[in-house]
Amino acid sequence: MRKVVVGMAVSLDGFVATVDGGLDWVFPHMDADIRRWIVGSVGQTDTQLLGRVNYVEQAMYWPGSDEELAPLINSAAKIVFSATLTDLAQTGQAWENSRLATLGVGAEVARLKSQPGKDILVPGGARFARDVVRQGLVDEYRLIVYPVALGHGLALFDRPCVLRCLASTLFATGAVALTYAPA
């Protein structure tokens, strides 16, 4: 059965973005080894679950990107969850293989997990990812912890969550990739 995987960058003090959603703190520590790890991780997925804000941001970037990740991300099915949209055309961003979710997150995940395919990625959007976590829908967390303390920001977890470590990889930049499953 397919797994739901949350894949995110995390600061040393547990934030996945600055208060305004910024990720600039990640890029100074990004190197070729981290990029390879991310490409390998994303390559294990063929579907992405996105909130509206994250969809709009990514739809503006990935279709025109020549980065190594672009073909993987662009070819993946993208399921967008929104309480305000009735059609993705309302975002002003067309992106191949994208559709608006017709079910709630839990029901959509159950339907997707019953279908053949690779794993299902939740690639970010702190608020949306936190909702997926709260609903107990995550089978695996693939987190890269960067050697940066933000002091405040947007957290992935807003309640206790016990996890067990499946794998770890230390990078030369001091970042660590950690793969966890719910305990």
Side-chain angles (χ1 to χ4, degrees):
M1 183 180 273
R2 303 167 82 182
K3 293 183 290 194
V4 173
V5 176
V6 168
M8 298 184 80
V10 181
S11 69
L12 196 56
D13 51 353
F15 299 107
V16 296
T18 59
V19 173
D20 64 355
L23 293 170
D24 292 347
W25 51 275
V26 170
F27 303 112
H29 305 281
M30 185 77 65
D31 69 2
D33 289 335
I34 292 173
R35 283 186 185 87
R36 272 192 292 282
W37 188 92
I38 293 169
V39 167
S41 180
V42 173
Q44 296 173 25
T45 70
D46 64 3
T47 303
Q48 294 190 9
L49 307 181
L50 303 158
R52 178 190 52 82
V53 173
N54 197 16
Y55 170 81
V56 170
E57 289 171 354
Q58 291 199 39
M60 287 189 303
Y61 181 78
W62 288 111
S65 173
D66 61 357
E67 289 184 40
E68 187 177 5
L69 265 177
L72 295 172
I73 292 172
N74 289 326
S75 66
K78 289 162 283 291
I79 317 306
V80 183
F81 294 84
S82 174
T84 58
L85 297 176
T86 56
D87 188 314
L88 287 179
Q90 292 173 276
T91 67
Q93 301 299 322
W95 194 10
E96 65 180 306
N97 304 315
S98 299
R99 70 169 175 84
L100 199 56
T102 56
L103 303 170
V105 178
E108 193 76 52
V109 164
R111 188 181 67 73
L112 289 168
K113 286 178 82 168
S114 72
Q115 297 174 347
K118 294 181 177 182
D119 291 338
I120 301 160
L121 179 63
V122 179
R127 289 175 187 91
F128 176 72
R130 189 170 41 235
D131 185 49
V132 174
V133 170
R134 271 190 211 125
Q135 292 187 50
L137 301 173
V138 180
D139 300 301
E140 193 170 281
Y141 297 87
R142 296 180 193 160
L143 309 173
I144 299 180
V145 180
Y146 288 87
V148 175
L150 296 177
H152 59 279
L154 301 174
L156 175 59
F157 302 101
D158 63 355
R159 59 189 62 173
C161 186
V162 180
L163 305 172
R164 64 184 167 86
C165 189
L166 303 176
S168 63
T169 304
L170 174 63
F171 299 103
T173 63
V176 181
L178 298 167
T179 303
Y180 288 105

